[in-house]
Amino acid sequence: MKILVLGSGAREHAIILSLRSEDAEHEIFAAPGNAGIAQDAAIVELDMLDGAAVASFANERGVDLVVIGPEAPLVAGVADVLRDRGIPVFGPGKAAARLEGSKAFAKRIMDAASVPTGRAVRAASVAEVEAAFDDFGAPHVVKADGLAAGKGVIVTTDRAEALAHAEHYLAAGAVLVEEFLTGPEVSLFFLSDGDTVRALAPAQDFKRALDGDGGPNTGGMGAYSPLPWLADQFGSIDAFVTEVTDTVALPVIRQLDSEGTPFIGLLYAGLILTPAGIRVIEFNARFGDPETQVVLPRLRTPLSRLLLSAASGHLEDEPAPEFSDDVAITVVLASEGYPEAPQTGRMIEGLAEAASVAGVHLVHAATGAPDAPGGSLIATGGRVLNVVATGADFADARARAYEAIGRISLEGAHFRHDIAARVAQ
């Protein structure tokens, strides 16, 4: 197939690498891409937020499928423009993408679909925020209602810190104050064609910047899949997936369909396993980052077939996706100062040496070519790249990942040393 992938991060690179791993010889375009993606796809100079421009390119080049990676073009309605022109696209339309674009909308849909989630209050003023704090007590959970690049959530026992976070986002609109839920978190992806869903493998990510879950929230510093400890509580990973499918994914998809806003794309369920049962923390309307980087390397079913089936409304013809027994972990290399004030423009060395470690591949998130000629790349953002390692067990995969990341040189860079440490013991 001819496939156009919109986006410029590690998630999009992971999708492209999965497509490249198939037996079929796809012609893959990427817009805008990054320096790593440029090694695996043809870079196209397109504004990914301009639906008309994307549709024109797809028609001119005979693109068979458009895959929208990040949330911004989804919320901007790019998928709607493509569908209106008869172009198969994997990604929900603007109305359904509000599931990620508005936390308050997501809560309403969950309430209507009787999906288990925590209590929440939509607050439009400081006084309303403080009243919610009084009601729920500490720790305080405050979420920006709109898109915030993974940085709109704060969980803290410091009331003043939580209030300052709320005041910052109140300048742009309402915020959500939620009750604090405790338990391990799980990310589970569902492919949807509007009424049928197919689950991928569960993963767990690490949001805090520092070892031991210290430091500020980030977009994600690492992840691993599968989650063997789910069997202790649910009997098996499959039993967990079935429960989430029946109580979360299908009710939400059916509710959206009943409202005339079918969800066609990737439903990301951010879950927490509380003592009272599974609860939804949030939904995203696209593949999660960095979980995609560990879920897709384990996928045996051709990704292109799954995406096209969902985009074309024929997902019911696809059996449950199959996954390798291998485990996968990813460790994110971040620029100095990330997440508050990342330093960019610095040279990255040792990439070939890192990629030569058995079972390891690199997924680029924010890399670019320097102005001066040469083989080295530069860091162009906070999360620079992902080292992804697979292995027969977590001890093996961790050893490979950390050996590889130790071969990469980027001045001031940092990464977590405890990704998947507990499951490797």
Side-chain angles (χ1 to χ4, degrees):
M1 291 195 293
K2 290 184 177 182
I3 304 171
L4 170 61
V5 178
L6 300 182
S8 62
R11 166 184 46 235
E12 290 76 36
H13 196 190
I15 291 169
I16 289 167
L17 289 172
S18 184
L19 295 170
R20 279 274 175 247
S21 71
E22 298 176 10
D23 291 335
E25 289 292 330
H26 302 302
E27 184 176 357
I28 303 176
F29 307 97
N34 61 42
I37 290 174
Q39 300 171 18
D40 299 293
I43 300 298
V44 180
E45 290 190 10
L46 272 179
D47 179 357
M48 67 177 177
L49 300 179
D50 186 341
V54 174
S56 294
F57 174 83
N59 280 326
E60 290 168 5
R61 300 302 294 265
V63 169
D64 300 296
L65 174 66
V66 177
V67 181
I68 302 179
E71 57 270 31
L74 294 172
V75 173
V78 171
D80 296 307
V81 178
L82 295 169
R83 287 197 181 95
D84 287 345
R85 300 194 184 184
I87 301 167
V89 54
F90 184 81
K94 183 176 183 177
R98 289 184 66 205
L99 204 62
E100 176 170 2
S102 170
K103 299 292 190 296
F105 175 81
K107 284 291 186 181
R108 183 188 70 75
I109 292 295
M110 282 188 271
D111 288 345
S114 299
V115 168
T117 186
R119 292 183 299 149
V121 171
R122 184 177 184 272
S125 68
V126 171
E128 291 177 351
V129 170
E130 291 195 295
F133 286 174
D134 292 338
D135 184 22
F136 292 149
H140 306 295
V141 181
V142 182
K143 297 181 178 179
D145 185 42
L147 299 180
K151 298 167 187 165
V153 180
I154 190 170
V155 181
T156 179
T157 57
D158 187 330
R159 185 180 176 111
E161 183 184 20
L163 192 59
H165 181 86
E167 288 177 331
H168 173 77
Y169 286 102
L170 281 170
V175 299
L176 238 62
V177 180
E178 299 188 2
E179 69 171 324
F180 175 74
L181 300 175
T182 183
E185 296 185 18
V186 178
S187 300
L188 187 55
F189 301 161
F190 293 91
L191 305 159
S192 171
D193 66 359
D195 56 18
T196 299
V197 300
R198 292 288 182 265
L200 300 183
Q204 186 174 70
D205 74 335
F206 295 73
K207 288 294 186 190
R208 297 285 185 172
L210 306 178
D211 290 353
D213 290 330
N217 266 336
T218 72
M221 293 298 292
Y224 70 93
S225 178
L227 310 183
W229 46 268
L230 285 173
D232 296 338
Q233 184 172 344
F234 296 90
S236 68
I237 295 176
D238 287 344
F240 168 80
V241 170
T242 298
E243 180 172 339
V244 179
T245 301
D246 293 342
T247 63
V248 175
L250 281 174
V252 165
I253 293 301
R254 288 167 179 165
Q255 181 63 35
L256 288 168
D257 192 36
S258 73
E259 296 187 8
T261 55
F263 189 102
I264 301 167
L266 196 290
L267 176 68
Y268 168 126
L271 310 164
I272 187 165
L273 311 187
T274 76
I278 299 170
R279 298 289 184 269
V280 176
I281 303 172
E282 65 175 353
F283 286 121
N284 290 329
R286 38 69 189 178
F287 280 100
D289 183 344
E291 299 97 324
T292 300
Q293 289 87 292
V294 293
V295 171
L296 293 187
R298 301 184 54 238
L299 180 66
R300 284 179 169 169
T301 307
L303 178 64
S304 62
R305 195 177 77 201
L306 293 171
L307 300 183
L308 185 60
S309 294
S312 304
H314 302 298
L315 198 55
E316 73 276 4
D317 298 333
E318 291 291 334
E322 295 183 0
F323 288 85
S324 165
D325 291 332
D326 284 350
V327 306
I329 83 162
T330 185
V331 182
V332 172
L333 184 72
S335 294
E336 180 180 2
Y338 177 79
E340 293 91 348
Q343 301 297 308
T344 61
R346 294 175 176 174
M347 304 291 288
I348 312 165
E349 305 287 355
L351 297 182
E353 292 80 359
S356 70
V357 176
V360 166
H361 66 270
L362 304 183
V363 181
H364 291 241
T367 60
D371 292 334
S376 298
L377 300 179
I378 60 170
T380 59
R383 290 188 296 168
V384 179
L385 56 84
N386 290 217
V387 173
V388 181
T390 57
D393 55 45
F394 283 107
D396 184 25
R398 290 190 81 250
R400 292 174 172 181
Y402 283 106
E403 178 184 349
I405 204 166
R407 298 184 180 188
I408 300 173
S409 174
L410 171 61
E411 181 187 352
H414 63 98
F415 58 89
R416 283 186 58 159
H417 300 80
D418 59 350
I419 305 300
R422 291 181 182 175
V423 290
Q425 294 175 352

